[in-house]
Amino acid sequence: MPLIIKDEYPEVLFRKDGKRLDGRDVDELRPIKMDVGIIKNADGSAYLEWGNNKIFAAVYGPREVHPHHLAKPDKGILRVFYRMATFSVFDRKRPAPGRREKEISMIVADCIEPVLFLELYPGTSFEVFIEVMDADGGTRCASTTVAALALADAGVPMKSLVSAIAVGKIDGKRVVDLSGIEDKAGEADLPIAITWYNEEVSLLQFDGDMDLNEMNEFLVLAKDALNKIHQIQLDTLKSKYVKLQEEISKENVEIENKGDS
Ligand code: CDP
């Protein structure tokens, strides 16, 4: 059964004033908020609000691999479990992991693995659990972005962060960061992830219709958006350490004051 009945799609995806239906310009991202360290039982965690998407990521590892037969004697493994809550979409999603969730788990792992030093952790695993609480288009990109942030929060050695964005075409115009309705009613959708240490594309999927020249133009559009997302990831991580530093300084002052009295 289709998620939104085709007849319910809007006929046009731009308003009369040239803005998209949610009021954005073609190159404008939805509002993005990130936080780290929000799940105390995890080794590292992150939370992301990206437009209407709300996503948690929790990291555990390096730890023993279960089931044991998955362990590799010469390197660690990265396992990603992407799940959408049953209430995260308009129609109730089946609770059992479906094909789409398995595919997204795999691609998120594939595009993050190049930044990890897995060869330093033979026989162990890093596990990243991603829970989508509210979904509105682009969750594979948002999940990649928040998973990389959670790994960094866990203190896992990384060559760099990874950021991702979906660009695409709606009503014949190139846009960044497709919302759920733009993803479904638009002509093309191109999720892209970048590993920042070498600026290489670590994910490129494509659904729709475009030629090679157009693809290059999409990559240029994506780069600008990816830079903005990367900056938010970096600022979020920095603010964690600034807060930590402030707490330590406060504690030190308290200890000094106690010593004086
Ligand atoms: O989320 P992403 O764009 O990476 O993946 P998609 O498979 O292209 O799904 C696009 C959007 O469809 C999701 O973000 C959800 O908003 C929606 N969706 C849904 O409503 N029900 C599902 N079972 C799966 C996706």
Side-chain angles (χ1 to χ4, degrees):
M1 191 175 72
L3 298 161
I4 292 181
I5 299 152
K6 188 77 190 162
D7 297 344
E8 290 179 1
Y9 289 165
E11 275 176 26
V12 287
L13 293 165
F14 281 92
R15 305 188 315 205
K16 286 207 178 90
D17 62 3
K19 306 257 187 200
R20 292 151 75 176
L21 294 182
D22 56 12
R24 285 185 291 152
D25 289 322
V26 285
D27 58 352
E28 195 175 335
L29 291 167
R30 290 174 285 179
I32 298 178
K33 268 199 316 201
M34 300 184 196
D35 201 357
V36 287
I38 27 89
I39 297 171
K40 297 300 168 210
N41 285 330
D43 294 317
S45 58
Y47 174 65
L48 171 65
E49 278 184 25
W50 183 328
N52 297 324
N53 291 314
K54 294 190 178 67
I55 307 178
F56 287 95
V59 170
Y60 297 82
R63 68 180 181 182
E64 209 178 314
V65 185
H66 291 287
H68 287 307
H69 70 85
L70 293 178
K72 295 202 172 145
D74 55 337
K75 61 184 240 184
I77 58 169
L78 171 67
R79 303 180 75 199
V80 173
F81 303 89
Y82 165 101
R83 295 282 178 273
M84 273 174 117
T86 50
F87 53 81
S88 66
V89 286
F90 181 71
D91 280 332
R92 177 182 176 275
K93 192 205 132 280
R94 280 162 161 264
R99 237 174 41 155
R100 177 179 169 276
E101 285 166 306
K102 287 184 190 149
E103 178 222 329
I104 296 183
S105 300
M106 188 192 75
I107 60 143
V108 173
D110 283 353
C111 62
I112 291 183
E113 205 177 299
V115 304
L116 301 180
F117 296 91
L118 291 177
E119 64 284 3
L120 299 180
Y121 303 92
T124 69
S125 71
F126 291 96
E127 292 181 318
V128 184
F129 297 91
I130 298 167
E131 296 289 336
V132 178
M133 296 289 127
D134 210 347
D136 188 20
T139 62
R140 74 195 59 215
C141 294
S143 296
T144 304
T145 304
V146 72
L149 193 61
L151 280 158
D153 179 59
V156 176
M158 295 165 83
K159 295 171 197 166
S160 72
L161 286 165
V162 182
S163 315
I165 182 77
V167 289
K169 194 155 57 160
I170 58 171
D171 291 357
K173 290 194 185 135
R174 283 186 287 276
V175 298
V176 292
D177 191 16
L178 290 99
S179 65
I181 197 74
E182 291 174 339
D183 180 296
K184 291 188 185 85
E187 293 105 87
D189 170 25
L190 191 85
I192 301 175
I194 186 167
T195 49
W196 287 106
Y197 77 99
N198 56 0
E199 299 213 355
E200 278 189 5
V201 169
S202 69
L203 166 74
L204 185 66
Q205 290 189 302
F206 176 54
D207 179 17
D209 177 24
M210 73 174 81
D211 63 35
L212 214 52
N213 286 336
E214 227 177 348
M215 175 88 84
N216 282 331
E217 284 159 22
F218 274 116
L219 292 176
V220 173
L221 197 64
K223 184 70 195 297
D224 187 41
L226 286 165
N227 276 322
K228 289 181 189 152
I229 295 158
H230 188 213
Q231 196 53 55
I232 304 174
Q233 287 171 297
L234 293 173
D235 290 346
T236 307
L237 280 172
K238 275 187 206 150
S239 71
K240 164 187 167 170
Y241 290 103
V242 169
K243 257 190 235 158
L244 213 62
Q245 187 60 51
E246 282 169 2
E247 277 167 25
I248 292 169
S249 307
K250 216 169 117 191
E251 271 173 28
N252 284 344
V253 170
E254 279 169 12
I255 290 168
E256 274 170 28
N257 288 345
K258 269 190 194 156
D260 290 345
S261 60

